[in-house]
Amino acid sequence: MPSTEQSRRDVFRTIAQLQHVEWPTYGSTPLYDRSSVSALQSDIRTVARVWFEHDVHDSIAEFVSQYPLKYVDFGPHDEYSGSTRYQMPQLVRLFLLKEIHGWDHETALLTFLRQRPELRCDLGFERMPDQSTLWRSWHQRFTTELRETIETAARTILIKAQDAGLIVPREPDRKLSYRNDDQDDSAPDDQTVLKRAKKITNHFSRIVFPAFSLNRGEGCEIHENAYWGLQTYLGLRENLAANEGARSFIYESTRERTPLGHAHRDHIRGLSIPAVREMYREAVGRLLEEVAGTEEFFRAGIVAIDITEADPFTGDRTGHEDEIIGTKEQTDEYAYQWATVQLVGNAVPILLDARPVRKGESRKEIVEDLLNSAEDLVHVDNVLMDREFDSQHVLEMLSQRGLSYVVPKRMQTSEKAQAKRLLRRDRDRYETDRKLHLGKNEWHQTTLIYRRKENAEHDDHRQYSVFMTNCGSGHLTEYGYRWEIESGYRSIKRFMAATTSKDFGLRFFYFAFACLLYSIWRAVDLLVQVELTGEYEHSPIVTADNTLTLLKKETGIG
């Protein structure tokens, strides 16, 4: 069904209402201008995602003809001088169609358009160029950067259309790889890795950081990006506080003006926790859009929910008892706690959302909140959680959402007795169904799986672990994916700025921003690995320090 003026208005109204998304992108950040092809790629991705979700938009060719290009300055990407018969936007649309269909030669494109006079009119051609004109336009008139942009944009359009359920002209390549045919299979050297990481990190920073805003108004002398640059700089060194970091940043930064430590903290304190979470989710959404085209990302489907805690708090917590709460190990210590939901398994371990944990909040409330965020961003099949989420009400909620789960169970009297029987019989594994009481004569049906630990340090029933699942024992091996969470938390805490402030919002922002830096690092590593080796292994080849240094030095942030 053809698009209408109303349907097109609906698309751009929806885009205008998206939180922290400004279209065109060049208007949202000084990192871009109207000639930035990276901004054009981002804009096409944003519009395509919303366009193909509209009920009446089922034509890729129509998207290409209707996408607004008047605001784009193609001048720096036009190698011709003087007047020409055909304008750059017209030719860009033609070559988008050619790449979308995967045609090797211009003749196929011209044949396609001769059979569709209405589409030719929509594209703005009274007279079609001949084959030689098109060949020269692509090879001699367009810059290399513009050609790469068209190829990337065509792939993005195909993916967004296919994700919306449309039949597409060709299967989009979900595996990014820019290896040369003569490149051998040996491991890439450090210089090659850093070169690719620099380019990708530069691109990510321009996409992700505009999602954050301090809402300072117009006319401020210090650019807002200097604040994000300082926050990134604080993550470069462990236990670096804002005041000390701001003094060092003056000399490290290329900016004429940088924020002082107290001003930086004051602006961060002005952000509410809901606002920080909304900006974080928008930033991660942009990050996911960048990696969504890789085959590795589409292994996503398993998420892990967990709670981490800051170092024990030793000061006076009067007035902050609901925020500085007990530790997970139920000691006599107190600490701030943060909950996260993260991609695990074979997918790149990006943290999808983070939230503070307050006294009195139920585990069910925390899990529901984080799952709502996760399912807005990715498809979720399976949820892994630690034993602190051993709650029949949490498990029933997951089942009602159509999700499978694997959760270790705290061993009570009956579980200890069963483990002792298994030990006497020398059995390594045992599976049984169990009903968990929900109250008011309601029950949750689950399966208990007993498994003996390898090389257990105990010689009694503690050799066994008990897991609850609603998806069969085959999914039990997935629980091992949770190791990524603890290693990830160690990196995240290493990225955090140091502070002695009790301000809950400031503390949470420091944690959330560290989560973002960690996620950027893992996303950069994913794309570098796929581009250089064609595969993705969980052991990073780009270090966290590499990424942080590149974010600070190479993107204009620092």
Side-chain angles (χ1 to χ4, degrees):
M1 185 182 299
S3 68
T4 63
E5 183 178 347
Q6 181 60 50
S7 70
R8 294 190 291 272
R9 186 180 295 118
D10 290 343
V11 167
F12 288 97
R13 182 181 294 117
T14 299
I15 293 172
Q17 293 171 349
L18 293 175
Q19 291 289 331
H20 307 293
V21 173
E22 187 171 339
W23 185 92
T25 303
Y26 81 86
S28 66
T29 170
L31 296 174
Y32 290 142
D33 59 30
R34 292 176 59 192
S35 66
S36 301
V37 289
S38 294
L40 177 59
Q41 288 180 32
S42 178
D43 288 343
I44 288 177
R45 183 185 302 108
T46 297
V47 178
R49 181 181 63 181
V50 179
W51 179 280
F52 292 118
E53 289 176 352
H54 198 288
D55 293 339
V56 304
H57 294 167
D58 56 6
S59 169
I60 291 180
E62 187 171 34
F63 173 84
V64 172
S65 67
Q66 295 295 331
Y67 182 84
L69 288 175
K70 289 184 178 180
Y71 74 91
V72 182
D73 178 12
F74 288 108
H77 309 286
D78 186 353
E79 301 283 12
Y80 284 4
S81 59
S83 60
T84 55
R85 179 189 294 270
Y86 301 106
Q87 300 301 311
M88 288 289 283
Q90 291 178 290
L91 296 171
V92 166
R93 296 185 199 276
L94 284 185
F95 286 110
L96 270 175
L97 281 176
K98 179 177 177 290
E99 290 299 322
I100 284 169
H101 285 269
W103 291 316
D104 293 329
H105 303 288
E106 293 78 13
T107 304
L109 171 64
L110 293 173
T111 301
F112 175 80
L113 291 172
R114 289 190 189 102
Q115 297 169 353
R116 293 164 176 80
E118 188 172 326
L119 177 58
R120 290 204 311 270
C121 180
D122 290 341
L123 293 169
F125 288 97
E126 295 181 3
R127 178 182 175 183
M128 290 297 300
D130 56 27
Q131 185 271 338
S132 61
T133 299
L134 288 180
W135 188 93
R136 288 194 302 272
S137 296
W138 181 258
H139 292 280
Q140 298 176 4
R141 184 173 182 181
F142 285 13
T143 62
T144 300
E145 192 176 21
L146 181 57
R147 292 198 299 268
E148 291 177 351
T149 298
I150 291 172
E151 291 167 351
T152 302
R155 180 173 165 275
T156 297
I157 293 167
L158 283 169
I159 288 173
K160 295 306 177 186
Q162 189 178 61
D163 289 348
L166 273 64
I167 298 174
V168 295
R170 65 177 176 89
E171 184 72 19
D173 183 9
R174 299 266 184 178
K175 195 175 189 68
L176 292 175
S177 182
Y178 300 100
R179 305 177 71 194
N180 298 323
D181 292 338
D182 57 353
Q183 183 175 336
D184 60 35
D185 293 327
S186 59
D189 58 65
D190 291 345
Q191 184 176 1
T192 301
V193 169
L194 285 175
K195 183 178 179 181
R196 296 306 304 157
K198 176 180 177 180
K199 181 176 180 180
I200 295 170
T201 304
N202 180 51
H203 178 63
F204 275 173
S205 66
R206 293 169 185 266
I207 293 293
V208 171
F209 282 102
F212 280 80
S213 174
L214 292 173
N215 298 318
R216 297 182 304 150
E218 301 293 333
C220 297
E221 293 185 13
I222 300 178
H223 197 286
E224 185 168 292
N225 285 341
Y227 289 87
W228 311 132
L230 174 57
Q231 193 67 39
T232 304
Y233 180 77
L234 298 178
L236 278 169
R237 289 160 50 191
E238 293 187 68
N239 300 317
L240 183 61
N243 281 343
E244 179 187 353
R247 287 192 292 269
S248 300
F249 192 56
I250 293 174
Y251 303 102
E252 293 274 357
S253 176
T254 58
R255 296 183 179 277
E256 294 182 3
R257 294 287 304 277
T258 58
L260 298 175
H262 69 84
H264 181 75
R265 288 195 306 272
D266 286 345
H267 282 302
I268 300 301
R269 288 192 189 102
L271 299 173
S272 69
I273 288 175
V276 172
R277 289 190 66 193
E278 182 62 32
M279 289 188 291
Y280 180 87
R281 287 190 292 262
E282 176 58 35
V284 170
R286 295 182 179 199
L287 194 64
L288 292 175
E289 287 287 337
E290 293 298 311
V291 300
T294 66
E295 183 180 86
E296 286 70 19
F297 177 79
F298 280 86
R299 298 175 187 169
I302 307 175
V303 299
I305 294 176
D306 208 344
I307 294 175
T308 189
E309 57 197 28
D311 293 335
F313 186 85
T314 57
D316 180 9
R317 66 187 189 105
T318 302
H320 300 272
E321 292 86 351
D322 291 342
E323 301 163 354
I324 309 172
I325 57 181
T327 62
K328 295 196 296 180
E329 298 300 325
Q330 297 181 349
T331 65
D332 58 355
E333 295 180 322
Y334 297 94
Y336 291 93
Q337 292 188 12
W338 322 112
T340 64
V341 57
Q342 175 181 328
L343 288 173
V344 293
N346 290 321
V348 57
I350 289 175
L351 285 109
L352 303 174
D353 194 13
R355 75 185 304 277
V357 178
R358 293 180 173 87
K359 183 178 180 180
E361 289 183 312
S362 71
R363 291 299 187 251
K364 179 183 176 184
E365 179 182 353
I366 292 170
V367 172
E368 280 188 305
D369 184 19
L370 292 175
L371 280 178
N372 288 338
S373 296
E375 291 189 309
D376 281 343
L377 293 168
V378 298
H379 174 74
V380 177
D381 292 316
N382 196 6
V383 182
L384 310 179
M385 296 179 291
D386 202 357
R387 59 175 41 86
E388 64 190 293
F389 295 97
D390 167 11
S391 162
Q392 60 267 40
H393 294 285
V394 171
L395 304 184
E396 176 65 12
M397 179 267 294
L398 293 175
S399 290
Q400 289 179 351
R401 295 175 77 124
L403 301 174
S404 57
Y405 61 79
V406 179
V407 184
K409 189 180 188 309
R410 285 169 285 211
M411 295 183 73
Q412 307 297 342
T413 302
S414 60
E415 287 80 36
K416 291 177 182 177
Q418 181 61 61
K420 291 176 182 178
R421 288 192 291 270
L422 295 174
L423 184 62
R424 288 195 299 268
R425 298 169 186 171
D426 195 27
R427 292 186 59 178
D428 294 333
R429 194 181 183 96
Y430 175 72
E431 186 173 325
T432 183
D433 292 334
R434 173 74 65 87
K435 287 185 177 180
L436 304 176
H437 189 226
L438 298 170
K440 296 182 180 180
N441 202 31
E442 294 180 329
W443 301 83
H444 173 70
Q445 183 72 41
T446 191
T447 299
L448 266 56
I449 301 175
Y450 293 76
R451 187 176 68 179
R452 181 182 284 183
K453 306 170 189 174
E454 295 183 6
N455 303 317
E457 60 184 26
H458 302 287
D459 58 4
D460 56 10
H461 69 277
R462 288 174 291 179
Q463 294 182 31
Y464 292 88
S465 296
V466 187
F467 294 88
M468 296 180 292
T469 181
N470 62 347
C471 54
S473 59
H475 287 267
L476 194 58
T477 55
E478 294 177 348
Y479 193 76
Y481 294 144
R482 285 195 69 265
W483 69 267
E484 292 176 308
I485 296 181
E486 296 305 323
S487 62
Y489 280 153
R490 287 193 292 272
S491 295
I492 290 165
K493 291 176 180 178
R494 178 249 179 271
F495 293 160
M496 288 180 63
T499 183
T500 57
S501 172
K502 298 179 190 176
D503 187 278
F504 201 40
L506 178 70
R507 290 264 186 171
F508 175 65
F509 179 85
Y510 279 8
F511 177 76
F513 201 86
C515 289
L516 180 62
L517 294 177
Y518 174 83
S519 297
I520 291 175
W521 164 41
R522 298 311 300 258
V524 168
D525 179 69
L526 165 70
L527 293 192
V528 170
Q529 286 197 44
V530 172
E531 288 191 14
L532 296 182
T533 71
E535 302 292 339
Y536 173 61
E537 300 293 338
H538 274 72
S539 179
I541 66 173
V542 180
T543 69
D545 280 346
N546 288 157
T547 304
L548 287 175
T549 302
L550 291 170
L551 279 172
K552 180 176 72 72
K553 290 185 176 180
E554 305 295 346
T555 65
I557 297 294

